[in-house]
Amino acid sequence: MMKLDARSVEADMQYPSVVIEWDNALLSGNNRAFKGLSILNQQLWDAQGHLSGEADVVVTFDPSQADEALIRREIERIGGKRGWPGHLTVATVPPGTRYYGHKNIGFRFTRNDIVIFLDSDLLPESGWLEEMIRPFADYRHSVVVGNTYMDFDRFYARCVGLFWIFETRSTERELSVTDWLVSNNIAFRRKVFERLPFPERVTFRGQCSELGRLLAANGILLYRNPMAQAAHPPPNGIRHFVERASYSGHDECSYRRLCAPVGVANAWARFRFDLGVVNQRVTRRAPVIGAKAGTRLAARVLGAVFYLIKLIAYALTVFAPTAVRRIFGAATS
């Protein structure tokens, strides 16, 4: 592992471009997205004198889904009298564009050598911006992943945080190599992402893992900076909870179908594996957040429900590949 010098950013470090998709905001709510933008605006201004060049922010939105006038009005309000440093681009994407499409299209509007993808439902911690780009002072670092952790501000969030994919807030300070690419809090050197953007698939999620494998196949290491932290919310209500679980089952079946036969037996085997993972995560994370017995039990039950929905969606996708996409209005074929 390599230690980060948290005292200063190298003098020749430049402002990055930051791409924010207005896709997750449709689920987590505009208010959280505007709060995240406000945090970003402050950090961009705070970096003046530490970073050279010009800041660059790109916000992408689907005009058929999001309120353009509201987004532009709130971005202007957040900027206040001093506005936004450097360049700010609010770009439309074709109607129906999904999450990874937002990112690939947003990249086309960026200007700087380092490009950060920050999701609209994340709330970056103090110092996040500079910690995301600090590792790039070393020319050997081409992809840096921040630490995305779950909110634990209410009972439901604590239960989801105990079993879901994101870990707890990190207390580590050292940069390390990782094999886990998360697309919501990640930075690339421009030439790397130009060559290897997020793959185009019919899946809702999963392209991040595929891109991680492509980078590895090309000898490009991923580095995790645990000091670049941002908080992620739980699924926003029952519908979003069911959607995320269903997407997970659809995507896993779809990716498996690319390289091997699929069947209901696969879904059942994965469900049993997922339940084991839920138990491991709850056991490991509960002491970290001080979760008591009732919260741990509720987390295990909620996790079982989540992965049961995933099982059903996987099985449905075995027999009808586009069914889940049609149910949630995202069918492309």
Side-chain angles (χ1 to χ4, degrees):
M1 292 188 177
M2 293 155 281
K3 290 188 176 181
L4 292 173
D5 179 1
R7 293 171 297 177
S8 64
V9 174
E10 296 291 335
D12 61 347
M13 290 301 294
Q14 299 185 349
Y15 269 110
S17 294
V18 183
V19 178
I20 300 171
E21 46 63 48
W22 214 265
D23 186 55
N24 281 345
L26 301 177
L27 297 171
S28 62
N30 286 331
N31 288 341
R32 185 179 179 94
F34 293 138
K35 184 176 180 179
L37 282 174
S38 181
I39 293 171
L40 175 62
N41 176 272
Q42 184 62 53
Q43 291 195 15
L44 289 169
W45 282 112
D46 290 345
Q48 283 196 325
H50 299 281
L51 303 178
S52 59
E54 293 187 311
D56 180 40
V57 176
V58 177
V59 178
T60 63
F61 73 97
D62 179 345
S64 70
Q65 299 291 324
D67 185 338
E68 178 177 2
L70 173 64
I71 293 172
R72 292 185 180 277
R73 183 170 64 249
E74 287 300 302
I75 286 176
E76 183 176 357
R77 179 192 64 77
I78 289 167
K81 292 183 179 180
R82 63 180 179 178
W84 288 76
H87 303 277
L88 172 67
T89 304
V90 180
T92 60
V93 299
T97 298
R98 298 199 297 272
Y99 178 74
Y100 293 104
H102 276 263
K103 294 178 181 294
N104 286 340
I105 293 172
F107 175 79
R108 301 172 194 167
F109 292 91
T110 60
R111 305 163 183 256
N112 296 336
D113 181 57
I114 305 301
V115 179
I116 300 174
F117 293 98
L118 173 69
D119 275 11
S120 56
D121 58 355
L122 293 195
L123 300 181
E125 284 196 2
S126 175
W128 168 84
L129 178 71
E130 293 189 21
E131 291 298 342
M132 282 299 292
I133 63 173
R134 186 185 306 279
F136 290 100
D138 186 331
Y139 73 93
R140 295 171 296 181
H141 301 158
S142 295
V143 184
V144 174
V145 181
N147 183 59
T148 299
Y149 63 90
M150 289 295 299
D151 281 339
F152 289 99
D153 57 348
R154 49 200 169 97
F155 179 72
Y156 166 65
R158 289 166 71 82
C159 291
V160 173
L162 283 175
F163 80 81
W164 211 26
I165 56 176
F166 297 112
E167 291 293 340
T168 55
R169 187 180 182 279
S170 178
T171 57
E172 300 173 7
R173 298 180 62 83
E174 295 182 351
L175 190 72
S176 61
V177 175
T178 182
D179 59 1
W180 193 35
L181 188 154
V182 291
S183 54
N184 57 22
N185 183 9
I186 189 169
F188 296 83
R189 290 197 188 277
R190 180 173 207 86
K191 290 183 178 180
V192 171
F193 194 80
E194 279 180 339
R195 185 158 60 97
L196 293 170
F198 289 107
E200 294 184 8
R201 299 289 186 191
V202 296
T203 51
F204 298 92
R205 293 292 191 269
Q207 288 93 316
C208 50
S209 297
E210 184 178 359
L211 179 56
R213 293 190 293 271
L214 289 171
L215 290 167
N218 282 270
I220 300 172
L221 295 177
L222 308 180
Y223 290 88
R224 173 178 175 268
N225 183 0
M227 297 177 67
Q229 307 209 72
H232 190 291
N236 186 16
I238 294 176
R239 177 179 171 82
H240 187 200
F241 184 91
V242 172
E243 282 187 15
R244 288 306 298 261
S246 300
Y247 294 170
S248 183
H250 166 274
D251 294 349
E252 191 163 306
C253 181
S254 298
Y255 265 101
R256 181 179 176 86
R257 181 177 270 123
L258 294 176
C259 58
V262 296
V264 175
N266 305 136
W268 177 249
R270 187 64 188 188
F271 175 62
R272 293 177 62 187
F273 174 82
D274 287 335
L275 290 185
V277 171
V278 166
N279 185 61
Q280 293 172 8
R281 287 173 176 168
V282 173
T283 300
R284 183 178 69 253
R285 296 171 184 174
V288 178
I289 69 168
K292 299 189 181 301
T295 305
R296 295 196 299 269
L297 176 60
R300 287 188 170 93
V301 171
L302 196 61
V305 171
F306 184 92
Y307 288 107
L308 178 60
I309 297 170
K310 176 188 171 184
L311 163 67
I312 295 170
Y314 189 118
L316 182 59
T317 306
V318 168
F319 298 107
T322 65
V324 172
R325 301 201 302 276
R326 293 185 187 281
I327 289 170
F328 294 106
T332 58
S333 62

